[in-house]
Amino acid sequence: MRAVVCSEYGPPEALRVENVERKEPRKGQVRIAVEAAGVNFPDTLVIAGKYQIKPPMPFVPGGEVAGRIEAVGEGITQFAPGDPVMALLLQQGGYAEEVVVEASAVMKRPEAMAAHVAAGFTMTYGTSMHALKRRAQLQPGETLLVLGAGGGVGLTAVELGKVMGAKVIAAASSAEKLEAARKAGADELINYSTQDLRERLKEITGKAGVDVVYDPVGGELFEQALRSTAWNGRALVVGFAAGDIPSIPTNLPLLKGCAVMGVFWGAFRMREPDKDLNNFSELFKWFQEGKVNPTVSKSYSLEEAPQALRDLMERRVIGKVVLETGRE
């Protein structure tokens, strides 16, 4: 089978498509014929050797896939060949025509959810649902600020915030990204490349501040957003797409009466799988009702994986991008 292979740590351009040996599912495993694989920021860190998980060389990157069950191992009764599924992997194996994975990492996807949509659904919506529902406990009528609102997790946070009844302020670095956030339901827009984030937040909230900050960007924006929280606000640390992990004066949470909360969806999924499945049951229901409409802005072939990762690294991506294998 064809797969994108990483033989040494380095930039995306070092990846190569190779023919690798097909694996058979063992007890408790399934083999998925991959139709599409999600491209995510952690993938760029894994191939550079900068992620907490370091697969042995050579390895196939890719943390989420969608496709159909091709074969099942001993003891598997919940899946059968032909079932449409989506799966979350331990940051390896997804950029391939097939993948063998533990059945516990697999979910049946709604029949109406196309593979290229499902491939970009798991990580982004799983992260934002955990962040807003479980961590921040976002309430109807509260104000939510989403930084990096044009990216994969950012757009999902905008969508889910609206579904949960919040007033959503989307902040991003370009007019194009903000337009995508507007279409996703944002009530207010801030271009932090040309506008002062704190001043605009004062104007929008009447100096009251925001109840929840959702930050997948990091860098200097986090402290500005933290200083703009309301009393009893919650600042969600989701990621560091800007590359810089911010340091903040710890007197700020004290003076603002706010909380800084970490969002590690992967650990939540492993530690509290039943709650995660409940989250996805609700997400699938909202998808079928048309309340969430995933944004997949571009699909690439396996051979174009380096370009897909480069576009993601240089923040040229709106919403989600995926690799398609050509399988159906």
Side-chain angles (χ1 to χ4, degrees):
M1 68 164 182
R2 293 161 58 245
V4 178
V5 177
C6 179
S7 298
E8 59 180 342
Y9 292 131
E13 290 74 18
L15 299 174
R16 296 288 182 270
V17 174
E18 300 178 8
N19 286 313
V20 301
E21 184 178 356
R22 163 186 274 186
K23 296 181 179 180
E24 295 299 327
R26 299 192 298 271
K27 183 177 180 179
Q29 295 181 327
V30 299
R31 186 172 70 232
I32 299 172
V34 177
E35 297 171 64
V39 179
N40 297 290
F41 185 71
D43 300 343
T44 69
L45 301 178
V46 173
I47 64 171
K50 297 178 179 179
Y51 198 66
Q52 55 261 40
I53 297 173
K54 293 181 171 58
M57 296 289 181
F59 68 92
V60 176
E64 62 178 342
V65 300
R68 292 186 178 271
I69 297 292
E70 193 169 58
V72 299
E74 180 185 347
I76 300 300
T77 58
Q78 67 271 43
F79 298 110
D83 284 347
V85 295
M86 54 211 292
L88 187 76
L89 318 174
L90 292 176
Q91 297 307 329
Q92 59 175 310
Y95 293 5
E97 292 181 318
E98 298 175 357
V99 65
V100 171
V101 63
E102 297 296 323
S104 58
V106 182
M107 293 184 291
K108 289 184 180 179
R109 70 177 197 260
E111 282 284 358
M113 184 180 287
H116 75 282
V117 171
F121 193 93
T122 313
M123 193 170 293
T124 52
Y125 281 92
T127 297
S128 292
M129 189 69 160
H130 170 52
L132 299 178
K133 181 180 179 180
R134 301 288 178 180
R135 298 296 286 147
Q137 299 184 27
L138 182 67
Q139 299 299 309
E142 289 192 313
T143 301
L144 167 67
L145 167 65
V146 180
L147 302 177
V153 290
L155 277 179
T156 62
V158 171
E159 274 195 308
L160 296 183
K162 288 305 297 179
V163 174
M164 294 178 186
K167 175 181 179 178
V168 179
I169 304 170
S173 60
S174 72
E176 187 179 15
K177 292 178 180 179
L178 288 171
E179 176 60 18
R182 185 192 64 77
K183 290 180 178 178
D187 299 289
E188 300 281 353
L189 307 176
I190 301 175
N191 186 330
Y192 45 66
S193 292
T194 60
Q195 298 175 299
D196 184 289
L197 180 65
R198 291 198 67 202
E199 289 303 314
R200 282 289 292 128
L201 289 173
K202 288 178 183 178
E203 293 171 6
I204 292 169
T205 66
K207 298 184 179 181
V210 298
D211 298 296
V212 176
V213 174
Y214 181 101
D215 181 19
V217 180
E220 64 180 14
L221 290 174
F222 181 75
E223 184 175 332
Q224 294 180 40
L226 186 64
R227 289 180 181 274
S228 301
T229 56
W231 184 255
N232 287 329
R234 290 87 77 201
L236 298 167
V237 180
V238 182
F240 313 104
D244 296 325
I245 298 176
S247 298
I248 60 166
T250 53
N251 67 321
L252 282 178
L254 184 153
L255 295 173
K256 302 290 293 184
C258 66
V260 177
M261 313 178 79
V263 178
F264 190 175
W265 170 63
F268 164 73
R269 181 181 175 89
M270 288 188 289
R271 291 171 179 268
E272 303 180 70
D274 290 343
K275 290 181 180 178
D276 187 59
L277 285 174
N278 286 339
N279 283 355
F280 273 95
S281 293
E282 196 164 8
L283 285 168
F284 289 154
K285 177 175 178 288
W286 288 344
F287 173 80
Q288 291 169 324
E289 291 173 349
K291 293 180 179 178
V292 297
N293 298 287
T295 300
V296 179
S297 59
K298 189 172 181 179
S299 295
Y300 301 77
S301 67
L302 290 180
E303 286 76 11
E304 293 172 320
Q307 185 61 56
L309 289 164
R310 178 59 62 188
D311 288 346
L312 189 67
M313 291 171 67
E314 297 182 0
R315 301 175 73 180
R316 293 193 291 261
V317 168
I318 293 177
K320 199 65 183 279
V321 295
V322 301
L323 306 180
E324 292 195 79
T325 66
R327 301 195 64 169
E328 297 181 358

